[in-house]
Amino acid sequence: MSDTHYAEVEPEIDEDANEYPDVHLEALGLKFDLPNLNSADLPIELVQTILIIKSRVVLSEEDQYHAMAVCLAYFEQMQPDLWNKLRSSGNALGWLAGIVKSWATESGVDPKAFTSSSSKRSTTAR
């Protein structure tokens, strides 16, 4: 028999926290609803990325790509119609960047992370 003591975890829930409405976007001929990026009920799949975005004044290119990858994975799992439209679009990265930037703006999050040149087609080799 073990004498190990387990502390009970109590979540930090602010009952008076603001409720943030979902974000409604239209792109690629689709209308879709996304969770507000400021919401306390943010899907767990997005929490790490939002914490990274909110914790830095300027995001590195690596952080920007990480955020886009997480959003793309989220769309694949939670927004399959949008995912399929992105897959068949002519400029998936450009659309992804535009959608995520609009999502951030409509959520009231500074969209600084989504203004990189990665959303534009390059004509020069890197």
Side-chain angles (χ1 to χ4, degrees):
M1 188 120 184
S2 174
D3 290 334
T4 304
H5 169 74
Y6 292 91
E8 188 171 327
V9 175
E10 293 292 330
E12 293 182 20
I13 298 175
D14 183 359
E15 298 294 336
D16 296 326
N18 291 337
E19 297 267 341
Y20 293 96
D22 283 347
V23 171
H24 311 290
L25 297 178
E26 183 174 351
L28 297 166
L30 293 174
K31 291 181 180 182
F32 48 96
D33 301 324
L34 298 171
N36 191 300
L37 296 173
N38 279 310
S39 175
D41 292 326
L42 190 66
I44 195 73
E45 298 88 353
L46 298 171
V47 170
Q48 179 185 18
T49 297
I50 297 308
L51 291 175
I52 289 170
I53 291 168
K54 288 184 171 188
S55 70
R56 293 183 171 88
V57 175
V58 177
L59 295 180
S60 69
E61 190 171 293
E62 182 179 331
D63 290 337
Q64 292 173 12
Y65 282 112
H66 173 81
M68 288 300 175
V70 169
C71 289
L72 187 58
Y74 174 78
F75 293 151
E76 181 180 15
Q77 292 297 311
M78 304 304 289
Q79 296 283 336
D81 291 340
L82 177 57
W83 165 255
N84 287 325
K85 286 285 192 172
L86 282 169
R87 288 180 60 214
S88 63
S89 71
N91 184 357
L93 191 54
W95 278 105
L96 178 64
I99 290 167
V100 173
K101 183 177 179 181
S102 294
W103 187 8
T105 300
E106 293 298 311
S107 292
V109 174
D110 184 358
K112 67 186 173 298
F114 310 110
T115 58
S116 75
S117 60
S118 64
S119 64
K120 297 181 177 64
R121 292 179 187 222
S122 176
T123 57
T124 60
R126 290 190 177 208

